[in-house]
Amino acid sequence: MKNYDLIIVGAGPIGLACGISAAKAGLNYCILEKGVLVNSLYNFPENMTFFSTSNLLEIGDVPFVAHNDKPTRKEALEYYRRVYESWKLNVKLYTPVQSMTKNTEGYVIDTPKEQFSTKAVIVSTGFYDTARKLNIPGEDLPKVKHFYDSPHPYVNQKVLVIGAANSACDVALETFYKGAEVTMAIRGNEIYPKTKYWIKPNIENRIKEGSIKAYFETSVKEIKPHSVILDTPDGAIEIENDFVLAMIGYTPDYSLFEKLGLPIDEENAKKPIHNSETLETPLKNVFVAGVINSGMKTSKLFIENTRVHADMIINHLKKELTQLA
């Protein structure tokens, strides 16, 4: 079993930032990632453009140069790979964390490959890997997708897009432009007001002209192999359908929190309980970093405003570990 000062769970941008801060502080650290490097970003749609500018996504003093003001997913993957290589970060990929138990030195982290002993832990797992569920009949059909990659599979297909925020509008437009017959099911009475400024007027105009059919104040009642039933203000209707793209958002991985023993504030957006100044949880020397700190309010925190979490945690942790030495 290998011994570390710090184990970081999650090799997303903030997990990498924590690794960089740990390296600067001279801590013996390891980053554990269940999938690929920056796994959440890898699962973004292949043609996605960030809302943030490239300089707001920078970490570790490595310049992020993009072709345009708003970088693409492809550029972000290349950038964070360069960060990883520039800092020679100690990352173990395809190493999911299964459990965490306390011992005299701190904690033991179990993975399918090996065990790790550590004095401290940072959990920085993001939320994009865990999709919100519709919890309706037919959601488990193969034609239902909670993650979107490319418009190609939907050429000449009847597609239902569920949602009205950035992802849903982006997907509706892209599949429409590639030849899909697109319908949207929108729970509210309008497109989400904070949708990206270059997307919102486009989707509203496509709906207005009838190119994309939108049902407002509507929920999906049931998904069938070749149709869907919508609950509209005028009653239930059934429409033909080939694919359902449920772009209704994502959540932190609460099953992982449970495995780690991290307490959750059920009455406050299911946020992991933590000290706002040190980001330490009620578990001694166990911290939470990045967007998971907002719980279910996933539109509150982003890469750009959580980059500071790395130094906040490491500065506090270094003092704690010095006292233990």
Side-chain angles (χ1 to χ4, degrees):
M1 184 164 58
K2 297 178 181 178
N3 299 306
Y4 292 94
D5 294 323
L6 173 65
I7 290 291
I8 300 163
V9 183
I14 306 306
L16 298 182
C18 289
I20 292 168
S21 293
K24 288 180 178 179
L27 299 181
N28 181 24
Y29 74 94
C30 183
I31 304 174
L32 305 180
E33 169 55 56
K34 70 176 182 181
V36 303
L37 192 72
V38 290
N39 194 70
S40 291
L41 301 192
Y42 177 75
N43 285 317
F44 282 175
E46 62 180 20
N47 295 325
M48 196 207 81
T49 299
F50 282 83
F51 187 80
S52 302
T53 55
S54 56
N55 65 302
L56 293 177
L57 301 175
E58 290 180 355
I59 59 174
D61 300 317
V62 178
F64 188 166
V65 179
H67 287 92
N68 298 299
D69 185 43
K70 311 287 187 182
T72 64
R73 164 191 173 273
K74 182 178 180 181
E75 289 172 327
L77 292 178
E78 173 62 22
Y79 170 71
Y80 289 113
R81 186 185 63 78
R82 286 196 297 107
V83 169
Y84 160 73
E85 292 181 344
S86 296
W87 282 93
K88 296 179 173 59
L89 294 171
N90 183 20
V91 180
K92 293 187 180 295
L93 301 173
Y94 306 104
T95 308
V97 170
Q98 295 176 313
S99 66
M100 180 175 75
T101 54
K102 193 158 181 25
N103 66 5
T104 54
E105 298 298 318
Y107 301 91
V108 174
I109 301 288
D110 279 299
T111 78
K113 296 181 178 180
E114 56 186 311
Q115 285 187 323
F116 301 84
S117 178
T118 182
K119 298 173 184 175
V121 177
I122 298 175
V123 181
S124 180
T125 51
F127 61 79
Y128 189 75
D129 291 344
T130 309
R132 293 177 188 255
K133 296 295 185 179
L134 295 163
N135 296 315
I136 60 173
E139 186 173 12
D140 58 346
L141 288 172
K143 73 173 189 175
V144 180
K145 313 292 182 183
H146 291 89
F147 294 91
Y148 172 80
D149 182 18
S150 162
H152 188 74
Y154 311 110
V155 172
N156 198 33
Q157 299 296 292
K158 292 178 171 60
V159 174
L160 176 70
V161 177
I162 306 174
N166 285 312
S167 295
C169 295
D170 221 353
V171 167
L173 288 168
E174 188 166 319
T175 52
F176 163 70
Y177 285 129
K178 297 301 181 181
E181 182 183 320
V182 180
T183 301
M184 298 182 73
I186 298 169
R187 190 174 287 273
N189 60 7
E190 62 178 346
I191 294 297
Y192 180 57
K194 293 184 180 180
T195 297
K196 294 173 183 176
Y197 64 83
W198 63 89
I199 295 176
K200 189 171 183 286
N202 192 356
I203 189 69
E204 289 176 333
N205 286 336
R206 301 295 76 74
I207 292 171
K208 185 177 180 180
E209 71 187 15
S211 298
I212 293 175
K213 173 67 175 178
Y215 291 92
F216 292 96
E217 298 179 351
T218 293
S219 60
V220 183
K221 190 174 181 180
E222 183 179 354
I223 301 170
K224 297 182 177 183
H226 304 292
S227 65
V228 293
I229 298 177
L230 305 180
D231 191 3
T232 78
D234 298 323
I237 62 170
E238 186 168 357
I239 62 173
E240 292 184 32
N241 172 261
D242 297 309
F243 288 97
V244 175
L245 304 179
M247 302 290 104
I248 56 174
Y250 308 91
T251 74
D253 186 353
Y254 288 107
S255 65
L256 175 63
F257 291 179
E258 186 175 350
K259 293 175 185 176
L260 299 178
L262 294 181
I264 302 299
D265 188 345
E266 296 286 350
E267 297 181 357
N268 186 16
K270 297 187 71 174
K271 296 178 182 178
I273 297 172
H274 62 279
N275 182 307
S276 60
E277 295 182 0
T278 65
L279 305 183
E280 187 175 17
T281 73
L283 302 180
K284 181 67 175 176
N285 288 333
V286 177
F287 305 82
V288 284
V291 297
I292 61 171
N293 290 12
S294 63
M296 296 294 287
K297 293 183 177 179
T298 53
S299 62
K300 296 294 183 182
L301 296 178
F302 309 93
I303 297 170
E304 63 186 66
N305 59 5
T306 58
R307 295 178 298 176
V308 296
H309 288 182
D311 286 342
M312 288 171 62
I313 293 172
I314 298 302
N315 289 339
H316 175 77
L317 181 58
K318 192 174 181 181
K319 295 176 184 176
E320 288 290 311
L321 296 182
T322 300
Q323 292 174 3
L324 290 175

